[in-house]
Amino acid sequence: MTVQAITVFMGSQLGNQSSYITMAKQLGQTIAQRRLKMIYGGGRDGLMGIAARSAMAEGGEVVGISPNNLAEEAIAIDSVTKLIEVADMDERKRLLMSYADAFIALPGGFGTLEEIAQVISWEKIGLHHKPLVLLNTNGFYDSLWHWLMTSVSSGFVTQNDLDKIYLADTVESALTYLINESDR
């Protein structure tokens, strides 16, 4: 399967390090430059807004998916290629998962963690076979990665399951991994 659309999970806040903003801009720009479609949660603020606007500024295709109850926080409909308003967060997550050929997670909070967990668990039970990259900006995902490795060594997760998640330090290595994985 060729990667044509990447769902990006990320914070609706900017975080407290400028490197998070830099990485979000770079990811949006690079996705657009590679003529890939960016799918994301539709937010106008935080890393979500930065990545979406950066992709659009490079002539990219960006699809935002926002629940109606967050519509006032959604990016302006004319700021992205397409904004899909859905009934609730469950429908949003289902569409974020179904529209993607692959997933990248930038730093974020509880929502990002929930989305990562859903991608991992759905892959485990066979609902999809799409690669996941944790974009480890300034070591943001080091603790989660340590927990995942501990889950393997403690017998709760298989090494094969862990091998389906890639920890990347750069946008380039993240996208190279996804392209190579899709060619397998």
Side-chain angles (χ1 to χ4, degrees):
M1 168 181 69
T2 302
V3 172
Q4 296 175 341
I6 299 173
T7 290
V8 182
F9 303 121
M10 62 204 128
S12 60
Q13 304 296 317
L14 293 174
N16 60 10
Q17 295 183 31
S18 62
S19 59
Y20 300 151
I21 295 168
T22 300
M23 193 70 77
K25 283 181 185 176
Q26 185 182 12
L27 181 61
Q29 291 167 344
T30 306
I31 286 173
Q33 289 164 354
R34 289 193 176 205
R35 301 291 175 233
L36 301 168
K37 183 187 302 184
M38 184 180 126
I39 313 297
Y40 84 114
R44 70 170 183 240
D45 297 325
L47 299 183
M48 295 173 100
I50 297 284
R53 284 189 292 277
S54 296
M56 290 297 293
E58 290 290 322
E61 184 176 354
V62 178
V63 176
I65 302 171
S66 180
N68 290 331
N69 65 330
L70 295 178
E72 69 279 358
E73 297 173 21
I75 199 159
I77 197 158
D78 60 352
S79 297
V80 292
T81 309
K82 184 175 186 180
L83 180 63
I84 302 169
E85 289 189 15
V86 295
D88 55 37
M89 292 295 278
D90 286 337
E91 185 178 2
R92 175 198 206 185
K93 287 189 296 183
R94 280 192 302 278
L95 290 179
L96 288 170
M97 301 276 282
S98 68
Y99 282 23
D101 298 317
F103 306 96
I104 294 178
L106 285 165
F110 292 134
T112 304
L113 179 61
E114 179 186 15
E115 291 159 340
I116 291 167
Q118 187 162 356
V119 167
I120 293 169
S121 63
W122 281 22
E123 202 287 331
K124 171 73 176 161
I125 62 173
L127 294 178
H128 74 80
H129 298 291
K130 302 171 185 179
L132 168 65
V133 173
L134 304 177
L135 195 46
N136 197 28
T137 311
N138 279 359
F140 184 84
Y141 284 113
D142 286 349
S143 296
L144 178 60
W145 192 255
H146 176 75
W147 179 82
L148 289 167
M149 290 189 310
T150 300
S151 297
V152 171
S153 66
S154 299
F156 292 104
V157 173
T158 68
Q159 184 63 49
N160 185 52
D161 290 332
L162 182 61
D163 290 344
K164 295 174 183 170
I165 306 165
Y166 184 70
L167 189 66
D169 291 324
T170 66
V171 168
E172 196 57 43
S173 65
L175 292 174
T176 298
Y177 170 79
L178 293 178
I179 300 306
N180 290 340
E181 274 301 295
S182 70
D183 292 338
R184 290 184 186 184

